[in-house]
């Protein structure tokens, strides 16, 4: 899957684009890149135009000193869609990318036909302790140590002792010609990328925009009623060690008409750990729902109703 490049507001943006058909925009998580979708893009591209960007500050995109807030990322998704000739599409966001997708719906509802949240941030305060620690003042100074390569202690702290031992067993098998598990690959790829100083600075700025020592500091719960007009699918792994599955159930209860699909014995990366099921669920959701078309007048009505409530 070839990386393409375009320039938006003077910054280089890398993205993957495959297939033809209705638009799917796949938005990766923090410290990730568009490569996280490599397991599902080929299958999805048989029916859809799939666009998967490297968010600014991530992957092969530029890493300037700039605004790394959710609002800025939402604007960048809208701008990339426009630059590639797309007015509307289905937004699929994983982890931090789920927060970006929700913010895009909020800021630019006319661009969003459907919303898919995969192990999404922004739906509760709880989050893995490692991310809370990395949000603390001075924590960024320790990142180069943990990312050359990712230290054993960091991996143990992030995944827990049982998962750490399991990954050690995977590495043992890999040396004998077996492939490593998808969770380990995604985790190591994400944090090893932070050996680059510019990527590390962007990561810390992005992290602190949404997480502090207490946990997630940005919540979409007071605006979830707005998704009543946007078909919404929530996908989560029941064994997610980063963001608890309880967030999925709570969000489903708060989002009128939303669909919830829990992947048993799957962690934070459903699209990597069970890509075939992920594709089936996503395609089934698109087939069963009509794309949203929210007018400005209808958006005002929803906002007024929510304010009154």
């Amino acid at each position: 899957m070839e990386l393409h490049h375009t320039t938006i507001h003077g910054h280089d943006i890398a993205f993957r684009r495959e297939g033809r058909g209705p638009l799917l925009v796949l938005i990766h998580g923090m410290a990730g890149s568009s490569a996280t979708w490599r397991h599902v893009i080929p299958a999805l591209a048989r029916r859809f135009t799939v666009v998967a960007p490297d968010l600014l500050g991530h992957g092969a995109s530029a890493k300037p000193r700039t605004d790394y807030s959710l609002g800025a990322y939402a604007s960048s998704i809208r701008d990339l869609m426009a630059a590639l000739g797309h007015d509307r599409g289905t937004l699929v966001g994983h982890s931090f990318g789920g927060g970006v997708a929700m913010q895009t719906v909020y800021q630019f509802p006319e661009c969003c036909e459907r919303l898919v949240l995969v192990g999404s941030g922004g739906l509760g305060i709880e989050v893995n302790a490692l991310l809370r620690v990395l949000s603390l003042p001075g924590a960024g100074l320790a990142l180069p140590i943990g990312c050359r390569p990712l230290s054993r202690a960091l991996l143990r702290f992030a995944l827990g002792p049982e998962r750490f031992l399991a990954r050690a067993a995977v590495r043992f098998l890999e040396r004998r010609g077996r492939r490593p598990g998808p969770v380990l690959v995604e985790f190591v790829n994400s944090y090893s990328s932070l050996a680059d100083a510019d990527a590390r600075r962007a990561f810390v700025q992005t992290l602190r925009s949404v997480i502090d020592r207490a946990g997630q500091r940005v919540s979409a719960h007071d605006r979830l009623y707005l998704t009543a007009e946007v078909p919404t699918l929530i996908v989560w792994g029941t064994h997610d060690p980063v963001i608890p599955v309880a967030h999925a159930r709570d969000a489903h209860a708060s989002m009128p008409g939303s669909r919830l699909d829990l992947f048993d014995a799957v962690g934070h990366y459903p699209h990597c750990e069970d890509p075939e099921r992920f594709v089936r669920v996503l395609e089934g959701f698109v087939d069963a729902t009509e794309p949203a078309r929210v007018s400005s007048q209808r958006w005002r009505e929803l906002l007024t109703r929510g304010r009154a409530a």
Side-chain angles (χ1 to χ4, degrees), residues 5-15 51 53-54 56 61-62 64 66 72-85:
H5 291 263
T6 189
T7 300
I8 298 179
H9 308 311
H11 302 306
D12 181 61
I13 301 297
F15 63 96
V51 172
D54 285 359
L56 198 67
S61 289
T66 190
Y73 278 123
S75 295
S76 71
I77 293 297
R78 187 276 312 268
D79 292 346
L80 178 62
M81 290 172 61
L84 298 180

Side-chain angles (χ1 to χ4, degrees), residues 33-81:
S33 74
S34 58
T36 193
W37 303 105
R38 65 193 178 279
H39 302 286
V40 299
I41 287 177
L44 292 173
R46 291 197 289 263
R47 293 186 51 194
F48 303 99
T49 296
V50 181
V51 172
D54 285 359
L55 295 174
L56 198 67
H58 296 71
S61 289
K63 300 167 181 67
R65 292 182 178 273
T66 190
D67 181 3
Y68 288 106
S69 66
L70 282 174
Y73 278 123
S75 295
S76 71
I77 293 297
R78 187 276 312 268
D79 292 346
L80 178 62
M81 290 172 61

Side-chain angles (χ1 to χ4, degrees), residues 29-258:
M30 197 179 306
S33 74
S34 58
T36 193
W37 303 105
R38 65 193 178 279
H39 302 286
V40 299
I41 287 177
L44 292 173
R46 291 197 289 263
R47 293 186 51 194
F48 303 99
T49 296
V50 181
V51 172
D54 285 359
L55 295 174
L56 198 67
H58 296 71
S61 289
K63 300 167 181 67
R65 292 182 178 273
T66 190
D67 181 3
Y68 288 106
S69 66
L70 282 174
Y73 278 123
S75 295
S76 71
I77 293 297
R78 187 276 312 268
D79 292 346
L80 178 62
M81 290 172 61
L84 298 180
H86 301 288
D87 296 324
R88 307 166 72 246
T90 295
L91 304 185
V92 183
H94 171 244
S95 198
F96 175 76
V100 174
M102 286 189 285
Q103 186 70 23
T104 306
V105 172
Y106 174 64
Q107 290 181 203
F108 310 108
E110 69 280 2
C111 295
C112 305
E113 296 182 336
R114 299 174 188 84
L115 174 65
V116 181
L117 303 175
V118 185
S120 177
L123 297 172
I125 191 171
E126 296 85 3
V127 71
N128 185 273
L130 172 63
L131 295 176
R132 299 201 305 270
V133 169
L134 291 177
S135 73
L136 297 175
L141 298 176
L143 275 174
I145 299 172
C147 300
R148 284 197 314 258
L150 189 67
S151 70
R152 291 169 60 88
L154 185 60
L155 186 59
R156 182 184 293 110
F157 183 48
L159 298 180
E162 295 84 1
R163 286 179 176 268
F164 176 75
L165 292 174
R167 301 315 170 206
V170 168
R171 291 195 297 274
F172 175 82
L173 293 173
E174 183 183 24
R175 289 195 292 270
R176 285 153 178 79
R178 301 286 295 275
R179 297 181 64 184
V183 173
L184 180 63
V185 170
E186 291 303 312
F187 191 84
V188 173
N189 283 348
S190 293
Y191 287 95
S192 62
S193 71
L194 301 180
D196 175 79
D198 290 337
R200 197 160 57 245
R201 182 184 66 245
F203 167 77
V204 170
Q205 289 179 313
T206 304
L207 179 71
R208 290 177 179 168
S209 72
V210 293
I211 292 175
D212 61 20
R213 68 182 66 194
Q216 297 188 66
R217 53 188 295 265
V218 176
S219 174
H221 270 285
D222 60 346
R223 301 174 188 179
L224 291 182
Y225 68 92
L226 293 169
T227 62
E229 298 296 308
V230 181
T232 301
L233 169 67
I234 303 168
V235 174
W236 223 281
T238 59
H239 292 179
D240 192 330
V242 178
I243 304 175
V245 68
H247 291 198
R249 297 188 178 100
D250 291 344
H252 176 52
S254 300
M255 303 172 86
S258 64

